[in-house]
């Protein structure tokens, strides 16, 4: 059996281009003992993948030129040599950017009976949802009555952060990149206040929704958003540092906030985190998030590209504002 795979053709400089990727075919081996053949149904593209396209040391190894990319995917077992993982089962894997693969069954996460569409397990019930959950509740030490500001609020992580804040009895404020996304945050997702960051002074727009200041700033953007939020924090505020998408495609070093000394006198906590270090909370996340999603208390939206060959275009769209909610590539 052959598998189509998306390969990194060249390391992007600045904003990635479709020409930085190519699709090739690879021959798959027959599954050996303890292995399964999986056909992918859908795959994820995520901002963190941009960092892996740079040849540098990080918390995860960089992608290599000429090799198939990897990332989150949901697939169905079509051939099994492991009695613990029968054919027909849905699995979560890190073998995205391809339409099929052979792997050891023990390395795949069995999903069991799906409580939502398969693609939801890449978003609200997957890594982005868990990032929001642990980042806000654990790293951000959320308490009832807190005022929470999240940047990139219309994305997969940000939209979940704001809604979890509301479920926990807090005020939710979000920034987004268009009037329609702002409307979506307030009218569809229940944010208390949202604004288009293109519209003017960030600090003033934050204070419009939080005149008494912020207890938590969930940072997905970095740069000017982090600087503005620092000026709006309450004493002992917490800032989970999840991402800095504003500078992922920078071709020169980006200066840090020039007001970081505020954190000293205000006794702020700024903590970077990687969701894979919080697997001890996965059961809690799956229990709570599945309940919130299936009961309708937490809503989600997906932006979908059809076909594996559209995966590079979908990935680039993360940095041009093409998505509302989770960006998903439907493969099968």
């Amino acid at each position: 059996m052959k598998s189509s795979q998306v390969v990194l053709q060249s390391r992007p400089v600045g904003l990635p281009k479709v020409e930085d990727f190519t699709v090739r075919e690879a021959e798959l081996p027959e599954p050996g003992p303890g292995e399964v053949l999986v056909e992918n149904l859908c795959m994820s593209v995520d901002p963190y993948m941009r960092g892996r396209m740079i040849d540098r040391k990080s918390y995860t190894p960089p992608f290599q030129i000429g090799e198939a990319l990897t990332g989150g995917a949901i697939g169905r077992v079509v051939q099994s040599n492991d009695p613990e993982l029968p054919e027909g089962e849905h699995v979560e894997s890190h073998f995205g950017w391809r339409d099929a693969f052979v792997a050891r069954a023990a390395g795949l996460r069995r999903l069991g009976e799906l409580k939502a569409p398969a693609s939801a397990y890449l978003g609200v019930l997957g890594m982005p949802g868990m990032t929001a959950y642990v980042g806000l509740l654990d790293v951000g030490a959320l308490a009832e009555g807190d005022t929470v500001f999240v940047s990139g609020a219309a994305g997969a992580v940000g939209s979940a952060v704001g809604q979890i804040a509301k479920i926990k009895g807090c005020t939710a404020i979000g920034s987004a990149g268009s009037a329609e996304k702002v409307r979506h945050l307030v009218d569809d997702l229940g944010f208390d206040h949202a604004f288009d960051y293109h519209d003017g002074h960030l600090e003033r727009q934050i204070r419009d929704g939080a005149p008494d200041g912020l207890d938590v700033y969930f940072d997905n953007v970095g740069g000017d958003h982090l600087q503005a939020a620092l000026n709006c924090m309450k004493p002992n505020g917490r800032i989970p540092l999840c991402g800095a998408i504003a500078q992922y495609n920078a071709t020169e070093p980006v200066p840090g906030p020039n007001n970081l000394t505020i954190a000293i006198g205000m006794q702020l906590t700024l903590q970077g985190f990687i969701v894979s270090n919080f697997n001890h909370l996965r059961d809690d996340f799956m229990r709570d998030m599945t309940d919130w999603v299936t009961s309708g208390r937490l809503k989600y939206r997906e932006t979908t590209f059809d076909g594996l060959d559209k995966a590079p275009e979908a990935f680039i769209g993360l940095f041009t504002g093409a998505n509302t909610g989770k960006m998903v590539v439907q493969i099968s």
Side-chain angles (χ1 to χ4, degrees), residues 203 226-232 256-264:
E203 183 179 338
L226 177 56
Q227 178 147 333
L230 281 165
N231 286 332
C232 298
N258 62 20
N259 60 342
L260 195 55
T261 54
I262 288 173
I264 301 170

Side-chain angles (χ1 to χ4, degrees), residues 161-172:
V161 168
Q163 291 182 87
I164 294 171
K166 293 300 298 177
I167 288 170
K168 294 295 184 177
C170 299
T171 298

Side-chain angles (χ1 to χ4, degrees), residues 59-287:
Y59 65 92
T60 187
F63 294 129
Q64 297 301 311
I65 301 295
E67 293 186 3
L69 301 166
T70 57
I74 305 298
R76 183 185 296 113
V77 177
V78 295
Q79 187 178 341
S80 176
N81 274 338
D82 188 312
E84 298 298 318
L85 188 55
E87 295 174 6
E89 286 287 337
H90 287 90
V91 294
E92 178 187 356
S93 80
H94 203 59
F95 292 101
W97 297 87
R98 67 202 72 201
D99 58 13
F101 64 90
V102 172
R104 292 197 59 79
L108 307 176
R109 178 174 286 114
R110 183 173 175 175
L111 295 180
E113 180 185 358
L114 299 185
K115 305 294 186 181
S119 56
Y121 291 84
L122 295 173
V124 68
L125 296 176
M127 182 271 289
M130 187 166 171
T131 299
Y133 183 90
V134 303
L136 184 60
L137 301 183
D138 191 288
V139 180
L142 188 73
E144 185 176 357
D146 278 350
T147 297
V148 177
F149 170 48
V150 55
S151 53
V157 173
S159 59
V161 168
Q163 291 182 87
I164 294 171
K166 293 300 298 177
I167 288 170
K168 294 295 184 177
C170 299
T171 298
I173 301 164
S175 66
S178 71
E180 171 54 30
K181 289 181 179 181
V182 168
R183 186 211 61 78
H184 170 62
L185 293 175
V186 175
D187 294 348
D188 301 334
L189 304 187
F191 278 61
D192 296 284
H193 177 69
F195 60 87
D196 184 340
Y197 62 82
H198 296 107
D199 283 349
H201 196 277
L202 284 175
E203 183 179 338
R204 184 168 58 246
Q205 294 189 93
I206 294 170
R207 291 194 181 278
D208 284 344
D212 296 326
L214 303 171
D215 298 285
V216 179
Y217 167 48
F218 194 105
D219 189 18
N220 288 313
V221 173
D224 57 354
H225 276 71
L226 177 56
Q227 178 147 333
L230 281 165
N231 286 332
C232 298
M233 299 301 297
K234 295 179 183 178
N236 301 302
R238 290 85 66 200
I239 303 180
L241 300 171
C242 177
I245 195 170
Q247 58 200 65
Y248 285 171
N249 294 307
T251 56
E252 296 180 359
V254 178
N258 62 20
N259 60 342
L260 195 55
T261 54
I262 288 173
I264 301 170
M266 298 291 284
Q267 301 183 81
L268 306 179
T269 299
L270 288 75
Q271 181 179 340
F273 71 100
I274 304 299
V275 67
S276 57
N277 291 331
F278 291 82
N279 283 330
H280 60 287
L281 297 176
R282 173 165 288 277
D283 289 346
D284 292 341
F285 158 69
M286 288 303 298
R287 179 196 65 237

